[in-house]
Amino acid sequence: MGISILGMGSYVPEQTLSNDDLQRFVETNDEWIRTRTGIAERHIAGWEPTWYMGRQAALRAVEKAGIDVKEIGLIISTTVTSDFLTPSVASIIQDEIGAENAAAFDINAACTGFVYGLETAKNFLEGNPSMKYVLVVASEALSRFLDWKDRSTCILFGDGAAAAVVERSSKLFSSYLRSDGSGARSLFARSLEKAPEFISDTEFDDGFPEKPLHQLYQDGKAVYKFATAALPEAFMGAAEKVGISKDDIDYFVPHQANLRIIETAAKKLGVSMDKFVVTLDHYGNTSSASIPLALNEAIDKGIIKRGMKIALIGFGAGLTYGGIILEY
Ligand code: UT7
């Protein structure tokens, strides 16, 4: 059994931030950012919480799918930028869209979140014959977790959301999920620190380098090296399971972190860049929302059509990585 995508929707905040705009905060320039990353601009959330962006994307996905929202049995949110430590973003979205028969929870697989979310959806549908639809929502507000004085990270990220309604199907589906936790310290944002005051004899130590709360820290070179190996492995792992080759794939939709990473992965796989969907020039890296934002845009533009075989390949903090191959 596999799953297929019935409908997708997305939402990006109205406000955009160009490479030139970034010069207001950090010493950088358009030329450096474009040549090193391929990014030209990104959207930045203003008043919108993460759950609101997810809600908007979810409503559009439900509308495109043409289903009754009450038939959704599960909502999975894949965010790394939750508004609250608890409740989950998924629970808030569940109420906001009126999905009154749905269970709801968040998963955190960082930028690989949408890939992990689809696999989780598939497993729920497989194990619950009465469950009809699962809604996977990827909504991210990275701008709230960035050090806007650190030019090596703040130029990379953007905000936005995308969602997909999925159902069980006998069409092609394969997945390959992995994690290499030995790289956990090369990309992280701390959410908690300090023991309560009455615990005075020990100093809190989570084993990670000292960095401020809620700020994304990244060892760019380490992540770059990991990513260029992880993306080809993510595809090959999923492809080998179902005995298909790169030539059978109509479009690859990779995590949108850096154009050079995508180009290197394409080269390693021996696939032309024409087969890679690239949207990072106008969205930047939106973590778990990046793959579904790119996929939804390619569908809306008529690039990805029904019946095509697509490969979604991602990597991110964890360090997680994974691939899903399915027929759209
Ligand atoms: O989903 C999360 C996944 N994250 C990623 O995929 C990130 C992976 N890593 C990367 O994409 C790249 O490593 C970066 C884009 C983050 C950095 O590119 P790089 O080619 O590795 O640059 P670098 O760190 O080696 O820096 C080269 C130079 C340095 O100056 P010096 O030491 O050579 O004088 C930096 O200080 O560029 C400087 N630099 C900048 N200059 C202008 C770093 N950031 C900037 C900037 N503008 N924004």
Side-chain angles (χ1 to χ4, degrees), residues 2-321:
I3 52 170
S4 68
I5 295 172
L6 261 186
M8 291 194 72
S10 67
Y11 174 88
V12 286
E14 206 175 300
Q15 197 166 320
T16 56
L17 192 69
S18 70
N19 292 344
D20 285 340
D21 294 335
L22 278 160
Q23 294 182 54
R24 299 205 309 262
F25 326 116
V26 285
E27 202 183 317
T28 190
N29 57 75
D30 181 56
E31 151 89 31
W32 192 96
I33 300 173
R34 274 181 202 265
T35 51
R36 300 279 179 138
T37 73
I39 298 166
E41 66 171 9
R42 66 289 288 145
H43 291 254
I44 303 290
W47 67 271
E48 305 104 315
T50 297
W51 68 256
Y52 177 82
M53 295 190 286
R55 168 198 194 268
Q56 298 305 92
L59 286 172
R60 288 171 191 172
V62 168
E63 195 189 327
K64 282 263 184 65
I67 62 157
D68 179 348
V69 79
K70 293 183 179 57
E71 291 181 307
I72 296 172
L74 173 64
I75 298 175
I76 302 167
S77 154
T78 64
T79 189
V80 290
T81 52
S82 185
D83 303 298
F84 307 99
L85 290 172
T86 192
S88 69
V89 167
S91 285
I92 302 172
I93 292 172
Q94 177 260 316
D95 178 52
E96 284 286 328
I97 67 172
E100 57 191 50
N101 296 310
F105 61 84
D106 290 3
I107 59 171
N108 182 342
C111 307
T112 323
F114 189 71
V115 169
Y116 270 65
L118 287 183
E119 171 69 6
T120 309
K122 181 216 161 217
N123 287 318
F124 264 86
L125 287 167
E126 207 164 45
N128 297 274
S130 62
M131 192 179 277
K132 222 168 160 187
Y133 305 117
V134 177
L135 174 68
V136 183
V137 189
S139 179
E140 303 282 12
L142 273 302
S143 64
R144 298 190 179 119
F145 289 79
L146 295 174
D147 175 358
W148 287 99
K149 293 189 196 79
D150 175 5
R151 67 178 181 174
S152 67
T153 53
C154 75
I155 54 126
L156 299 171
F157 296 94
D159 303 336
V165 175
V166 301
E167 65 174 351
R168 63 174 68 68
S169 133
S170 54
K171 289 196 261 183
L172 170 71
F173 183 90
S174 182
S175 64
Y176 177 86
L177 305 185
R178 288 291 185 275
S179 169
D180 177 3
S182 69
R185 285 163 185 75
S186 51
L187 184 52
F188 69 90
R190 176 170 278 107
S191 63
L192 298 170
E193 65 177 7
K194 290 191 201 139
E197 269 171 27
F198 58 83
I199 305 288
S200 53
D201 58 338
T202 50
E203 204 150 293
F204 175 79
D205 181 5
D206 58 17
F208 274 52
E210 257 188 59
K211 297 285 170 196
L213 263 187
H214 307 155
Q215 275 184 8
L216 194 71
Y217 163 79
Q218 171 172 266
D219 175 348
K221 282 201 190 313
V223 177
Y224 191 99
K225 194 167 166 236
F226 165 79
T228 52
L231 285 182
E233 184 187 328
F235 171 68
M236 292 310 294
E240 278 163 11
K241 278 193 195 171
V242 283
I244 68 169
S245 107
K246 61 182 167 65
D247 303 321
D248 300 319
I249 301 297
D250 294 290
Y251 281 102
F252 290 77
V253 187
H255 173 45
Q256 309 282 314
N258 186 323
L259 184 60
R260 290 188 297 143
I261 291 175
I262 299 174
E263 285 170 347
T264 306
K267 210 166 164 193
K268 281 190 177 173
L269 283 168
V271 175
S272 153
M273 273 300 285
D274 300 344
K275 279 194 166 191
F276 275 74
V277 176
V278 176
T279 55
L280 57 76
D281 53 321
H282 50 284
Y283 293 139
N285 179 347
T286 56
S287 191
S288 75
S290 96
I291 289 177
L293 265 175
L295 176 59
N296 187 42
E297 190 171 298
I299 291 168
D300 278 353
K301 285 186 171 166
I303 296 165
I304 291 181
K305 302 184 188 75
R306 289 286 172 198
M308 283 185 170
K309 293 183 180 68
I310 55 176
L312 314 177
I313 47 175
F315 66 91
L319 297 165
T320 57
Y321 57 114

